[in-house]
Amino acid sequence: MTVLAAAVALVGSLFFALGAALQQFEAVGAARPGLLALLRRPRWLLGGGSILVGGGLHIVALGLGPLTVVQPMGVASLLFALPIAATLHGRRPSRRELAAAAVVASGLVGLVLLVPESDGPTRLDPAGVLTLLGVSGAAAVLLWAGSRAASPAGRAALLATSSGVLYGATATLVRVLVDGAWNWWYLLALPVPALLALMMLQRAYAVGHFGVSFASLQIADPLTAVAFGALLLGEPLPTGVVPVVAAALTAAGTVALARTTPLEARH
């Protein structure tokens, strides 16, 4: 079953990568990368469907095998996404670009494997939910503001990081709901960070540096969820030197991607 779980997770990563590449291709090509405009583009909607399939396969994989096998397979989406996106833009990814993506992926694998598992129920009171939304919202706004004065690669990274922070907050709230803390206004609050994250991600994609934005998203999302888990849910953090090395690898790989991934032109 472990081999099957790894295979299902790997296929899920492929669907997720395809969906992200399709949505970025359409966001770059849109005169205004707003959600209403993108919703009229069939290829963007196809990308969204592919992402949903990838997420569903990831959930199936988690039911078939251990987290330590499934999560690293999810990181492979970065290695799938770069060649797919490059093909859509009519080019071939360079060896340096793929090498930088591999460095990011190796760092992410190290981070996801080192996060200690929580063995207790997940609970969050209303004050904690307000803290979750307030902190993630403030961080997202600061990152968005910083992106306005950054270079194109820096803007893509900051906007995607802003999206990742909001997605991380969404994931934390979903975990609370799934664990039994049902509350009607929790459900009402859930779409707010999710929609803002989607909007911010499309703006990051529209900049043109897909490798940078996708890598930044993959880094920011799980790290934010881990941070909120420790801050609000009392979950343990990884300790020792290895997590620091893994974080350094992800940062170095992202910087390398910013230097090697070309700026995709509007089509």
Side-chain angles (χ1 to χ4, degrees), residues 24-25 27-29 82 85 89 91 97 152-153 155-157 159 201-214 261-266:
Q24 191 266 349
F25 184 77
V28 169
L82 283 180
H89 288 283
R91 67 177 184 86
E97 191 178 354
R155 184 159 64 252
L159 288 171
L201 183 59
Q202 302 315 306
R203 290 185 177 274
Y205 284 164
V207 175
H209 285 278
F210 176 66
V212 178
S213 55
F214 195 64
T261 303
L263 180 67
E264 290 98 356
R266 295 191 180 277

Side-chain angles (χ1 to χ4, degrees), residues 18 20-25 43 83-91 267:
L18 175 62
L22 286 170
Q23 289 198 333
Q24 191 266 349
F25 184 77
R43 189 155 27 189
I84 294 172
T87 301
L88 287 173
H89 288 283
R91 67 177 184 86
H267 46 272

